[in-house]
């Protein structure tokens, strides 16, 4: 990205926005293709995604074509501006998350000393988008879904952030690039062959992060706002065609982006053991390494999603406040003690 | 101490008034939520008008009749053999089981009895349609709780049993195989061995559901203690089938009154569960499916030889009289009250189907639960809309 220094500010910005959008949509598409169409189809004995094109490879195009053809319906009593803006707010939150992710020693959009802080702050914007969708739809199911989403997403923001705090304490930096370097140059009991991916020392935080992430993504077992069997897809009930597709892209892209953040925090990000992290080859290899780690983590997300039943609202809140948050606080205390004394 | 001084009484009244004022200030606006007629959790065109306070149900009333097809009235202008083509559409998931009680009622009026071979084959197909029906419930219950995968497994394994029903009767959904006095055809060659294999698969499916759904902690947290029906309340609402056996009532028409079916020839068990909640209804249905495969297995081993049709006239005229026959259908007790005046057509047919009565408890049961629990309770009561709206 140092090449960008030659360009003027607006040129840099438009390139970054374009690349970010491509990153969002490409990642979302790949995840839909790999996980939803292939993996889940095999898990659930679905036949559709194996028919279109060789090995079902054209299914994604067929789906996009289907959604493009659909009529764009806005309910008569809907708050039209809010209704129309909601998918973009959700997608914007995803898009802003992408910009802090590092892909290699020089491959990054922005490098900020408050990287993970920014990411956590921006991720909560999607709550507003979902609440807008729920409120603006003029549908009681959507309203219930929107209100549930608010309760759920705000509750799970806390364990998510508290899980990150452990990593930040151990790494001593909030810069995501810095966290990657800390893991790459770290050592476990004096042995530095593997670096120190924080999954080994922060496994509690990793578990907390994955759990809270599942809730932040509104995936089963924490899919209260969507709840297709009771709330008929909740805040998405009234969305059709392209607008629905925007929500769909945002859902999958956010799963990818959150997995990428988890990969950076716990799996060493773009770093791979055995190659010097400052080697220029990592600018090419780094994004691929990231991608593999992201696919691995999203596999877990969707595997859980298509296996587990759904909690009830009160049970969900109980898990967040009585189990996850105390555990996260304990993890912070233990990490701090280790950090100071050892 | 019995005397309360005026002062105490006044302060008590003041406290009550303060409470009432706080309650009035904190009162939330109610919301009426129409669940259905088109809703994924209602299995068809059922509508539940729920008055909600937040997510809590204050009152819930089922509105039914959106797909009423007037079968009782239509039966009065159809000849007896033609009626079977209507009534196997009542509960479309276990359709063969619907035909049997009507045919039995007609046979009772005509004072004919199907030959033993026909009785055994009837019982086999009856239990197979029970499995075909309940298998879908076992998968669908998970959908009500939010897990989509088990229902795909249910549809996959239901194929096997439908293939067998098709192999014997020629129809997948509406076999129309029963005749007054026996059955239309004999079993095809090799069918018995194939069915035994399928029963093995169904047992494997039950094991799969047991680990995937019943063993899941979230599923248990969502269903245990939810929608509890005490036995006396359940009986007073006329619940039957697995719904009442899930409340610990040991009542099964198959065992208590196996008129014209071969249930007393095999060794089997009626399962009950004492809790009466959604989980116990699920548990009972799962055990019943296992038990049904065992019944079929035993019956397949000992099908008696002989004719499959009793001697009945070509044109069936049923002598005057009335008969009520009930059987234990997949959804509960189903009975036909047939009145004849000696014509080609029944004078009056009254259908007592299980789902209508099972549905009747919902206003009582749904009071005070949360919206997500509406779905699990409705799912666990397991009704087919065709069985409610006839």
């Amino acid at each position: 990205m140092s090449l960008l220094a030659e360009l003027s500010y607006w040129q840099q910005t438009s390139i970054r926005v374009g690349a970010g959008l491509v990153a969002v949509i490409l990642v979302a598409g790949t995840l839909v293709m790999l996980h939803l169409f292939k993996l889940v189809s095999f898990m659930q004995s679905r036949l559709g995604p194996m028919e279109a094109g060789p090995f079902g490879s054209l299914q994604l195009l067929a789906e996009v074509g289907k959604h493009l053809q659909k009529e764009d319906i806005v309910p008569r009593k809907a708050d039209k501006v809010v209704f129309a803006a909601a998918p973009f707010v959700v997608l914007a939150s995803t898009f802003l998350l992408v910009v802090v992710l590092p892909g290699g020693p020089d491959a990054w959009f922005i490098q900020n000393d408050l990287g993970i802080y920014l990411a956590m702050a921006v991720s909560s914007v999607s709550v507003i988008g979902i609440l807008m969708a729920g409120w603006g739809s003029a549908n009681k199911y959507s309203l219930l879904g929107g209100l549930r989403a608010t309760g759920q997403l705000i509750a799970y923001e806390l364990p998510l952030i508290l899980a990150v705090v452990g990593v930040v304490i151990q790494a001593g930096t909030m810069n995501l690039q810095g966290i990657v370097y800390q893991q790459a140059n770290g050592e476990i009991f004096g042995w530095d062959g593997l670096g120190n991916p924080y999954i080994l020392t922060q496994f509690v935080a990793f578990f907390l992060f994955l759990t809270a992430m599942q809730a932040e993504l509104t995936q089963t077992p924490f899919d209260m706002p969507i709840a297709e069997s009771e709330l008929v897809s909740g805040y998405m009930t009234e969305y059709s065609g392209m607008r629905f597709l925007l929500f769909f892209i945002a859902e999958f892209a956010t799963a990818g982006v959150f997995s990428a953040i988890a990969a950076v925090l716990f799996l060493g990000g773009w770093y791979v053991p055995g190659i010097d992290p400052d080697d220029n080859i990592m600018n090419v290899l780094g994004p691929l390494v990231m991608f593999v780690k992201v696919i691995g983590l999203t596999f877990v997300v969707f595997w859980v999603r298509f296996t587990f039943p759904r909690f009830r609202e009160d049970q969900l809140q109980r898990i967040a406040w009585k189990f996850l948050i105390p555990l996260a606080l304990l993890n912070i205390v233990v990490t701090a003690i280790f950090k100071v004394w050892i | 101490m019995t005397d309360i001084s005026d002062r105490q009484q006044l302060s008590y009244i003041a406290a009550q008034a303060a409470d009432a004022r706080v309650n009035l200030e904190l009162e939330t606006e109610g919301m009426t939520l129409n669940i259905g007629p088109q809703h994924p959790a209602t299995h068809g065109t059922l509508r539940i008008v729920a008055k909600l306070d937040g997510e809590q149900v204050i009152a819930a009333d089922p509105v039914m009749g959106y797909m009423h097809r007037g079968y009782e009235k239509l039966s009065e202008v159809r000849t007896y053999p033609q009626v079977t083509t209507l009534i196997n559409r009542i509960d479309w998931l276990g359709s063969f089981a619907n035909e049997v009680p009507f045919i039995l009622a007609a046979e009772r009026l005509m004072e004919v009895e199907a030959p033993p071979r026909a009785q055994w084959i009837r019982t086999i197909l009856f239990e197979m349609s029970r499995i075909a029906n309940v298998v879908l419930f076992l998968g669908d219950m998970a959908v009500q709780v939010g897990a989509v995968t088990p229902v795909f497994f249910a549809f996959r394994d239901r194929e096997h049993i439908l293939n067998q029903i098709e192999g014997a009767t020629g129809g997948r959904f509406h076999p129309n195989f029963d005749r007054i006095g026996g059955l239309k055809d004999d079993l095809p060659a090799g069918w018995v061995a194939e069915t035994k294999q399928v029963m093995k698969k169904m047992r494997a499916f039950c094991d799969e559901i047991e680990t995937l759904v019943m063993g899941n902690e979230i599923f248990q947290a969502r269903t245990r203690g939810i929608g509890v029906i005490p036995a006396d309340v359940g009986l007073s609402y006329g619940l039957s089938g697995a719904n009442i056996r899930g409340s610990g009532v040991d009542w099964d028409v198959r065992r208590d009154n196996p008129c014209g079916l071969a249930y007393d020839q095999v060794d089997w068990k009626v399962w009950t569960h004492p809790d009466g909640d959604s989980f116990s209804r699920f548990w009972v249905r799962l055990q019943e499916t296992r038990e049904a495969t065992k019944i079929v297995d035993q019956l397949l081993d000992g099908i008696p030889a002989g004719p499959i049709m009793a001697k009945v006239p070509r044109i069936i005229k049923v002598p005057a009289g009335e008969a009520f026959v009930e059987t234990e259908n997949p959804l509960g007790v189903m009975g036909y009250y047939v009145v004849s005046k000696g014509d080609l057509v029944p004078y009056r047919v009254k259908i007592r189907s299980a789902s209508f009565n099972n549905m009747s408890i919902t206003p009582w049961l749904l009071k005070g639960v949360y919206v997500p629990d509406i779905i699990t309770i409705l799912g666990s009561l397991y009704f087919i809309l065709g069985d409610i709206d006839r």
Side-chain angles (χ1 to χ4, degrees):
Chain A
M1 291 281 165
S2 45
L3 287 174
L4 291 176
E6 316 285 324
L7 301 169
S8 67
Y9 179 73
W10 70 268
Q11 285 168 321
Q12 287 185 32
T13 309
S14 43
I15 287 174
R16 279 182 178 142
V17 168
L21 275 179
V22 167
V24 168
I25 291 170
L26 209 66
V27 167
T30 319
L31 294 179
V32 170
M33 198 69 213
L34 270 176
H35 290 316
L36 192 68
F37 290 158
K38 298 312 286 187
L39 194 132
V40 172
S41 305
F42 277 111
M43 274 189 196
Q44 300 190 330
S45 339
R46 293 191 196 211
L47 298 176
M50 316 194 184
E51 295 286 324
F55 303 105
S57 55
L58 298 180
Q59 180 68 25
L60 189 63
L61 283 180
E63 294 276 341
V64 172
K66 177 185 82 180
H67 282 291
L68 284 176
Q69 288 172 40
K70 283 190 177 174
E71 192 184 355
D72 179 28
I73 301 166
V74 182
R76 189 184 296 159
K77 287 189 179 169
D79 189 333
K80 293 195 177 51
V81 179
V82 174
F83 183 83
F88 293 99
V89 174
V90 175
L91 197 63
S93 140
T94 310
F95 175 64
L96 289 173
L97 272 170
V98 173
V99 297
V100 292
L101 286 173
D106 299 311
W108 37 264
F109 292 106
I110 53 168
Q111 201 178 12
N112 192 317
D113 278 345
L114 293 175
I116 187 66
Y117 186 72
L118 175 72
M120 291 297 110
V122 159
S123 77
S124 53
V125 171
S126 67
V127 182
I128 300 172
I130 290 176
L131 188 61
M132 281 166 71
W135 184 261
S137 292
N139 180 316
K140 286 171 181 171
Y141 290 116
S142 305
L143 179 62
L144 280 176
L147 294 179
R148 281 179 178 194
T150 321
Q152 171 181 337
L153 298 184
I154 290 173
Y156 277 85
E157 202 95 313
L158 279 169
L160 192 75
I161 291 169
L162 292 178
V164 170
V165 170
V167 173
V168 171
I169 290 173
Q170 199 178 353
T173 174
M174 283 203 214
N175 189 331
L176 285 170
Q177 192 75 292
I179 292 173
V180 172
Y181 273 107
Q182 282 290 335
Q183 295 180 68
N185 299 324
E187 51 184 32
I188 313 161
F189 301 122
W191 178 65
D192 60 353
L194 205 61
N196 180 14
Y198 286 155
I199 187 174
L200 298 175
T201 46
Q202 288 287 334
F203 50 88
V204 178
F206 183 64
F207 163 74
L208 288 168
F209 192 89
L210 279 193
T211 314
M213 182 172 109
Q214 196 83 7
E216 282 291 302
L217 299 169
T218 63
Q219 304 281 350
T220 326
F222 307 109
D223 63 333
M224 237 61 43
I226 299 173
E228 76 285 339
S229 64
E230 51 198 66
L231 294 187
V232 209
S233 298
Y235 63 89
M236 290 201 277
T237 310
E238 295 292 349
Y239 286 87
S240 69
M242 207 48 214
R243 290 182 210 278
F244 173 80
L245 200 60
L246 277 178
F247 271 126
F248 197 71
I249 290 172
E251 183 183 330
F252 276 80
T254 318
V257 174
F258 263 104
S259 300
I261 292 174
V264 168
L265 292 178
F266 298 102
L267 302 182
W270 50 264
Y271 160 68
V272 63
I275 303 177
D276 180 19
D278 286 323
D279 201 333
N280 202 24
I281 188 96
M282 283 315 289
N283 281 326
V284 183
L285 219 55
L288 294 177
V289 172
M290 263 299 261
F291 193 68
V292 171
K293 289 175 179 173
V294 166
I295 293 291
L297 283 173
T298 44
F299 168 70
V300 176
V301 170
F302 291 114
W303 185 17
V304 170
R305 172 187 171 162
F306 287 102
T307 312
F308 273 60
R310 180 188 311 120
F311 278 115
R312 210 171 52 208
E313 181 76 32
D314 53 331
Q315 294 168 338
L316 169 116
Q317 299 285 358
R318 205 172 297 147
I319 290 170
W321 295 100
K322 288 192 177 170
F323 176 63
L324 292 182
I325 292 176
L327 193 62
L329 290 172
L330 195 70
N331 181 52
I332 291 173
V333 172
V334 172
T335 311
I337 289 170
F338 268 85
K339 177 80 178 176
V340 174
W341 288 13
I342 297 168
Chain B
M1 287 298 286
T2 48
D3 280 11
I4 301 168
S5 68
D6 288 352
R7 196 190 172 85
Q8 269 178 322
Q9 204 158 7
L10 271 176
S11 71
Y12 178 68
I13 291 168
Q16 267 199 327
D19 274 357
R21 197 164 57 243
V22 168
N23 283 343
L24 206 68
E25 280 166 8
L26 291 180
E27 199 175 10
T28 49
E29 204 179 327
M31 180 169 95
T32 307
L33 184 70
N34 275 297
I35 299 172
Q38 300 291 342
H39 187 278
T42 55
H43 302 274
T45 49
L46 173 74
R47 175 169 155 224
I48 291 180
V49 184
K51 294 208 168 48
L52 304 180
D53 176 17
E55 284 222 23
Q56 203 164 23
V57 179
I58 302 167
D61 283 311
V63 181
M64 40 201 133
Y66 284 92
M67 58 174 297
H68 200 281
R69 293 155 294 175
Y71 281 167
E72 291 172 359
K73 224 61 195 158
L74 282 173
S75 305
E76 293 169 16
V77 291
R78 299 270 194 289
T79 62
Y80 282 87
Q82 284 173 339
V83 172
T84 53
T85 62
L86 290 176
I87 57 180
N88 59 25
R89 283 158 171 77
I90 289 175
D91 160 19
W92 48 69
L93 292 179
S95 41
F96 183 83
N98 298 325
E99 301 174 8
V100 175
F102 177 78
I103 295 292
L104 289 176
E107 283 177 0
R108 186 177 289 180
L109 282 174
M110 290 179 69
E111 291 174 351
V112 294
E113 192 173 329
R117 187 177 174 81
Q119 288 186 12
W120 282 60
I121 295 172
R122 253 183 210 170
T123 317
I124 291 168
L125 288 170
F126 196 101
E127 285 307 298
M128 281 173 75
S129 63
R130 179 189 311 281
I131 298 168
N133 187 327
V134 179
V135 154
L136 212 54
F137 163 80
L138 295 174
D140 196 58
M141 187 63 196
V143 175
Q144 317 288 2
V145 187
V148 279
T149 307
V151 81
F152 290 101
F153 292 174
F155 274 116
R156 180 194 66 197
D157 286 342
R158 192 169 181 257
E159 279 306 288
H160 303 306
I161 209 133
L162 287 182
N163 285 341
Q164 284 318 103
I165 291 177
E166 185 187 19
T169 67
R172 287 172 78 79
F173 290 121
H174 307 302
N176 202 18
F177 192 57
D178 254 336
R179 296 288 181 272
I180 292 170
L183 293 169
K184 179 171 167 283
D185 276 320
D186 209 338
L187 293 178
W191 189 85
V192 170
E194 276 173 33
T195 312
K196 288 211 138 183
Q197 290 303 313
V198 169
M199 288 304 128
K200 244 181 228 158
K201 282 179 190 160
M202 298 327 288
R203 274 195 286 276
F205 170 78
C206 287
D207 295 342
E208 197 173 32
I209 287 288
E210 189 159 17
T211 48
L212 188 65
V213 182
M214 209 168 87
N216 189 300
E217 284 180 10
I218 300 175
F219 179 80
Q220 296 198 3
R222 285 295 307 279
T223 50
R224 286 206 168 195
I226 305 292
V228 178
I229 304 175
D232 53 336
V233 178
L235 283 172
S236 73
Y237 276 100
L239 260 58
S240 57
N243 291 334
I244 198 72
R245 284 195 288 277
S247 299
V249 178
D250 193 8
W251 175 36
D252 197 316
V253 177
R254 286 180 288 174
R255 180 198 55 198
D256 302 339
N257 183 18
C259 53
L261 291 171
Y263 286 112
D264 44 0
Q265 310 288 322
V266 288
D267 180 33
W268 62 287
K269 183 175 184 300
V270 176
W271 291 89
T272 59
H273 195 282
D275 289 354
D277 53 12
S278 303
F279 179 81
S280 61
R281 293 191 276 278
F282 182 87
W283 186 89
V284 166
R285 287 213 172 85
L286 185 67
Q287 301 303 334
E288 275 185 10
T289 315
R290 279 223 185 93
E291 205 65 38
T293 60
K294 285 178 197 159
I295 295 175
V296 172
D297 263 353
Q298 291 180 43
L299 287 171
L300 285 172
D301 283 335
I303 304 176
I308 51 156
M309 240 351 228
K311 275 202 156 56
V312 285
R314 188 163 279 259
I315 292 168
I316 289 171
K317 264 192 176 177
V318 174
E322 51 196 70
F324 178 72
V325 172
E326 56 180 11
T327 52
E328 186 76 25
N329 273 43
L331 301 164
V333 172
M334 185 180 205
Y336 286 80
Y337 181 61
V338 183
V339 182
S340 173
K341 284 206 163 177
D343 288 332
L344 288 169
V345 297
Y347 177 71
R348 177 84 179 93
V349 174
K350 165 79 182 98
I351 306 168
R352 186 268 189 225
S353 66
S355 296
F356 185 80
N357 287 56
N358 289 352
M359 185 80 227
S360 67
I361 200 172
T362 46
W364 181 86
L365 199 54
L366 293 183
K367 206 170 278 178
V369 303
Y370 291 102
V371 171
D373 291 338
I374 297 181
I375 312 303
T376 46
I377 290 171
L378 289 183
S380 74
L381 284 176
Y382 191 43
F383 45 82
I384 303 289
L385 259 291
D387 206 34
I388 294 175
D389 305 338
R390 302 169 301 263

